[in-house]
């Protein structure tokens, strides 16, 4: 009999039930023994009063190594001593898998284990409810994003992840051998989602993998991340894009608070849904804050990890966690961003969350001639972007959009110390396994 239960109920028929799970712990107290069985939803106590249990079954259950996988059938009894309020007195046990010992890492041990060691045995690390909670919340966030985007009439698209050209600069391209021809793993869906703007599919979004050959080992960079991209037509300015992001993120935050309450409680986290619109700082204002704090940055420089942190601390003191940094200089942004005519600034922005960039976006250059001129200025050869440029030649509406790193969003949301904590099997400069 398969039993499906949530956190507080267990299906019981005629006073008996079968529960499946991992043997988390066994305690032998002479006349009585206890086995704690764990599944996705929690634990249940299997109680074995020695005199009332068949000796072979007693022996089988109490000798099982930790983390073995079993199904136990027995009589369900109320029990005030257990967190579930129930215990199971077993009559039958089926062992599906006996765990080897010692375990690579413990599941319930309180000792601090380095992240790298945990990631090496990620399957075991994920048996901890507080680690699984991160990914349950991530799942809820992704569902909420789709709901929010659909309600704004965006359609979900899937763009190629193997491409002939990169979109975000040559330094972070992963080259692959495509039947003898050079190809690249997609750094973002940028070029394709923009091409779609010329088709009449005027609002699109994608949640998919992005690959960047990041050579630096930081807590915020990995080589494979999940990007939530949106792009839409008929905008007047980048403010329209910022308004859309604010709406979507607030929907996600409010939804997480409600649907993820159990997981948030387990992690001891609360979510604040900020007021709309999110504050907008200019790049120049931020540069000044950062310079005043002693960082030797000059106009045009990326604020970088340290600069973003300084701005985050200043905003944090005002109780602000999410804010835009707008009007970046043209040189700090890619070729496809629209530039304010006659100024060095662009219609671009980053969205920062607790002192870390989680998104960048803006209004795109939709005028063919200007776009080609921008490519030349950036030292790019328009011939390398032939397919992309073709979509701009025959009628392209004004448009804009964004890319949000889902991993970084979850990292900052839950105050995790490293983006890798929000990724099941992270990939970085030093990690290709498991
Ligand atoms: P950074 O300056 O932090 O390296 P970026 O400017 O290269 O980021 P964008 O190209 O603007 O990033 O990408 C949009 C978003 O995608 C980022 O705000 C971030 O959330 C996510 N992202 C980009 N690169 C990475 C990465 N290597 N690892 C994790 N997330 C990333």
């Amino acid at each position: 009999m398969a039993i499906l239960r949530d956190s507080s109920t267990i299906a019981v028929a005629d006073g008996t039930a079968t529960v499946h799970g991992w043997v988390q712990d066994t305690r032998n107290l002479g006349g009585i023994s206890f086995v704690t069985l764990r599944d996705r939803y929690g634990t249940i106590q299997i109680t074995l009063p020695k005199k009332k249990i068949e000796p072979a079954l007693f022996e089988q259950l109490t000798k099982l190594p930790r983390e073995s996988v079993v199904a136990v059938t027995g009589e369900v009894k109320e029990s005030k001593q257990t967190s579930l309020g129930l215990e199971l007195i077993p009559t039958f046990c089926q062992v599906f898998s006996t765990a080897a010992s010692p375990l690579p890492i413990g599941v319930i041990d309180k000792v601090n284990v380095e992240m790298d060691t945990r990631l090496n045995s990620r399957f075991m690390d994920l048996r901890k409810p507080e680690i699984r909670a991160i990914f349950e919340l991530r799942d809820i966030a992704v569902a909420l994003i789709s709901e929010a985007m659909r309600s704004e009439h965006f359609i979900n698209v899937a763009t190629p992840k193997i491409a002939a050209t990169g979109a975000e600069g040559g330094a972070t391209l992963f080259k692959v051998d495509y039947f003898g021809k050079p190809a690249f793993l997609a750094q973002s869906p940028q070029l394709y989602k923009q091409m779609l703007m010329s088709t009449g599919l005027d609002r699109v979004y994608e949640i998919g993998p992005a690959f960047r050959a990041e050579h630096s080992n930081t807590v915020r960079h990995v080589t494979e991340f999940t990007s939530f991209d949106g792009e839409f037509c008929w905008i007047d300015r980048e403010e329209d894009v910022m308004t859309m992001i604010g709406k979507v993120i607030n929907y996600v935050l409010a939804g997480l608070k409600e649907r993820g309450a159990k997981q948030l409680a387990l992690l001891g986290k609360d979510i604040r849904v900020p007021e709309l619109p999110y504050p907008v700082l200019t790049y120049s204002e931020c540069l000044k804050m950062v310079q005043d704090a002693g960082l030797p940055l000059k106009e045009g420089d990326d604020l970088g990890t340290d600069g973003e942190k300084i701005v985050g601390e200043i905003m944090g003191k005002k109780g602000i966690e999410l804010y835009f940094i707008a009007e970046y200089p043209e040189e700090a942004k890619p070729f496809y961003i629209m530039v304010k005519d006659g100024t060095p600034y662009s219609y671009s922005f980053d969205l920062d969350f607790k002192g870390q960039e989680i998104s960048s976006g803006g209004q795109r250059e939709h005028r063919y001639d200007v776009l080609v001129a921008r490519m030349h200025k950036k030292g790019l050869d328009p011939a390398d972007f032939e397919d992309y440029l073709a979509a701009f030649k025959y009628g392209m509406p004004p448009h804009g959009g964004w890319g949000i790193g889902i991993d970084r969003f979850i990292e900052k949301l839950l105050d995790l110390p490293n983006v890798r904590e929000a990724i099941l099997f992270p990939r970085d400069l030093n990690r290709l396994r498991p």
Side-chain angles (χ1 to χ4, degrees):
M1 178 173 52
I3 299 292
L4 186 68
R5 66 189 176 103
D6 65 19
S7 57
S8 57
T9 58
I10 171 164
V12 180
D14 302 331
T16 68
T18 298
V19 287
H20 303 94
W22 288 260
V23 172
Q24 179 166 288
D25 197 20
T26 309
R27 282 173 298 143
N28 297 314
L29 306 179
I32 191 161
S33 293
F34 303 100
V35 172
T36 307
L37 199 66
R38 185 191 68 246
D39 72 0
R40 172 176 170 185
Y41 302 103
T43 55
I44 185 166
Q45 179 176 291
I46 317 285
T47 305
L48 300 117
K50 200 165 184 176
K51 286 196 180 137
K52 294 192 187 157
I53 305 285
E54 206 189 302
L57 180 62
F58 186 90
E59 179 80 6
Q60 182 189 31
L61 265 164
T62 54
K63 293 277 155 58
L64 276 172
R66 273 186 183 189
E67 297 303 314
S68 297
V69 173
V70 296
V72 183
T73 301
E75 191 186 341
V76 178
K77 289 212 161 150
E78 276 189 23
S79 161
K80 292 212 169 69
Q81 281 93 34
T82 67
S83 52
L84 197 62
L86 295 173
E87 62 183 349
L88 198 79
I89 315 295
T91 51
F92 179 73
C93 170
Q94 182 179 1
V95 179
F96 294 114
S97 166
T98 306
S101 59
L103 300 170
I105 53 171
V107 175
I108 52 170
D109 308 342
K110 291 281 172 263
V111 286
N112 266 342
V113 181
E114 296 264 327
M115 185 186 71
D116 257 335
T117 310
R118 291 198 286 108
L119 291 178
N120 286 342
S121 299
R122 192 56 147 168
F123 70 94
M124 193 59 102
D125 189 41
L126 282 157
R127 293 187 189 181
K128 300 172 196 153
E130 68 277 15
I131 302 290
R132 278 203 313 278
I134 297 169
F135 296 96
E136 288 168 356
L137 288 165
R138 189 180 155 128
D139 167 64
I140 298 169
V142 169
L144 288 161
I145 288 172
S146 293
E147 284 173 27
M149 296 308 282
R150 279 165 180 274
S151 76
E152 294 291 339
H153 308 285
F154 282 73
I155 69 157
N156 182 253
V157 296
T159 61
K161 300 302 160 218
I162 307 174
T165 5
E168 313 292 341
T172 62
L173 276 171
F174 273 120
K175 199 170 173 184
V176 292
D177 174 16
Y178 195 72
F179 305 112
K181 288 189 195 130
F184 304 101
L185 297 183
Q187 295 161 305
S188 78
Q190 186 63 36
L191 306 186
Y192 287 97
K193 64 179 182 166
Q194 282 195 263
M195 285 159 77
L196 289 173
M197 294 299 97
S198 77
T199 65
L201 296 173
D202 61 1
R203 290 185 166 213
V204 302
Y205 78 100
E206 176 165 10
I207 300 172
F211 305 91
R212 305 228 179 148
E214 301 279 358
H215 293 280
S216 51
N217 211 349
T218 75
V219 296
R220 58 192 244 163
H221 289 105
V222 279
T223 51
E224 179 177 2
F225 65 96
T226 304
S227 189
F228 157 39
D229 277 80
E231 200 74 22
F232 60 116
C233 287
W234 318 116
I235 63 164
D236 289 326
R237 274 294 169 246
E238 81 281 21
E239 282 93 349
D240 298 341
V241 184
M242 292 194 255
T243 303
M244 184 64 77
I245 293 186
K247 254 201 252 182
V248 172
I249 292 196
N250 267 22
Y251 181 85
V252 173
L253 294 177
L256 278 168
K257 226 174 142 67
E258 201 186 306
R259 292 185 213 170
K262 198 181 84 183
Q263 289 84 352
L264 288 168
L266 181 64
L267 294 171
K269 291 287 159 203
D270 191 19
I271 288 180
R272 279 198 289 159
V273 184
E275 268 177 39
L276 290 173
Y278 300 161
V280 183
L281 303 168
T282 64
Y283 166 83
S284 304
E285 281 170 338
C286 292
L287 186 67
K288 178 146 190 331
M289 286 181 198
V290 171
Q291 287 169 336
D292 288 351
L295 273 195
L297 292 189
K298 53 181 193 326
E299 177 77 20
D301 283 347
D302 199 81
L303 295 176
T305 308
D306 294 339
E308 286 171 20
K309 219 185 245 173
I310 290 166
V311 177
E313 276 161 17
I314 294 170
M315 297 304 276
K317 284 190 186 134
K318 298 179 190 169
I320 297 166
E321 295 180 336
L322 277 156
Y323 46 90
F324 290 106
I325 303 176
E327 290 183 31
Y328 273 82
E330 169 189 4
E331 65 206 275
K333 288 290 166 185
F335 71 87
Y336 49 76
I337 282 287
M338 188 181 270
V339 175
K340 273 188 185 183
D341 286 339
T343 79
Y345 298 104
S346 61
Y347 293 115
S348 63
F349 60 81
D350 280 358
L351 174 65
D352 282 27
F353 193 8
K354 301 178 192 171
Q356 183 175 285
E357 178 198 319
I358 60 158
S359 172
S360 63
Q363 178 164 16
R364 318 304 189 186
E365 182 50 71
H366 64 276
R367 298 163 297 181
Y368 177 82
D369 295 337
V370 186
L371 188 57
V372 171
R374 292 264 295 135
M375 285 181 171
H376 283 303
K377 199 169 168 189
K378 290 265 179 194
L380 298 167
D381 182 356
D384 291 338
F385 295 86
E386 193 186 341
D387 301 329
Y388 169 73
L389 283 172
F392 288 75
K393 249 189 199 170
Y394 306 100
M396 173 63 94
H399 63 277
W402 70 86
I404 296 181
I406 300 255
D407 325 271
R408 280 197 198 173
F409 172 70
I410 297 293
E411 174 206 356
K412 296 316 279 183
L413 179 83
L414 302 176
D415 301 310
L416 303 172
N418 193 314
V419 69
R420 290 159 183 76
E421 297 279 4
I423 300 172
L424 284 173
F425 298 102
R427 293 283 175 264
D428 64 30
L429 194 58
N430 303 311
R431 182 175 286 282
L432 188 57
R433 296 173 51 200

